[in-house]
Amino acid sequence: MSTMTYKGFTARIDFDARDNIFVGRVLGLPETERISFHGETVAELTQDFHRAIDFYLKECAEAGRAPTRPASGRLMLRIPPEVHSAALVAAQAAGTSLNQWAAKVLAKAAHAG
C-alpha cells in the first residue's frame, strides 16, 4: 500500500488499471466526510490531493467548525489482564511509563508494514 501525507492527513493510493489513473482516499475520516482524489501522474495526484485537503479545510473554516482529524492522540484499549501486566513490566524494565512504552511499540508496529 502506498500513502501520501499532507497537513496531517494521510491518504491511501491505488492504481486503477482500467481507467489508467492513480486514485487516493484520505484515511481515518468517517464516510460522511470522505475525501478522494485522482490523477494520471504522480504530480497530478499530489496536486489534486493538496487541492482536496485545502478545500476541505476552507469549507470547515467557513462553516465555523473544526475539521475532523484522523486521530485525537487518545487511545482506549481493552486487553487481557495478563497482557496488561506483561506490558507494564516491559515498560518498567525499559525505564518508561506504560504510555510511552505503548506509543513506541505501536509506532514501530505501524511502520513495520
Side-chain angles (χ1 to χ4, degrees):
M1 173 179 76
S2 296
T3 61
M4 300 174 86
T5 303
Y6 178 65
K7 293 188 176 180
F9 293 88
T10 300
R12 175 185 173 146
I13 309 303
D14 294 301
F15 182 71
D16 182 336
R18 188 188 68 188
D19 292 332
N20 201 36
I21 60 172
F22 295 102
V23 179
R25 179 172 179 200
V26 176
L27 302 173
L29 298 178
E31 274 300 312
T32 56
E33 294 188 12
R34 183 178 184 165
I35 301 173
S36 58
F37 52 96
H38 68 278
E40 292 183 8
T41 66
V42 173
E44 285 180 9
L45 181 73
T46 301
Q47 183 179 26
D48 202 37
F49 177 38
H50 292 190
R51 191 177 310 133
I53 295 298
D54 290 340
F55 179 79
Y56 172 68
L57 294 173
K58 181 182 174 195
E59 275 192 330
C60 289
E62 288 174 356
R65 67 177 180 83
T68 300
R69 292 292 177 174
S72 67
R74 296 174 65 183
L75 177 65
M76 300 285 289
L77 298 173
R78 296 203 189 285
I79 57 175
E82 56 275 6
V83 173
H84 189 173
S85 179
L88 183 58
V89 168
Q92 290 173 340
T96 66
S97 70
L98 180 56
N99 189 64
Q100 292 169 327
W101 181 86
K104 183 177 178 180
V105 170
L106 287 170
K108 184 177 178 181
H111 293 100

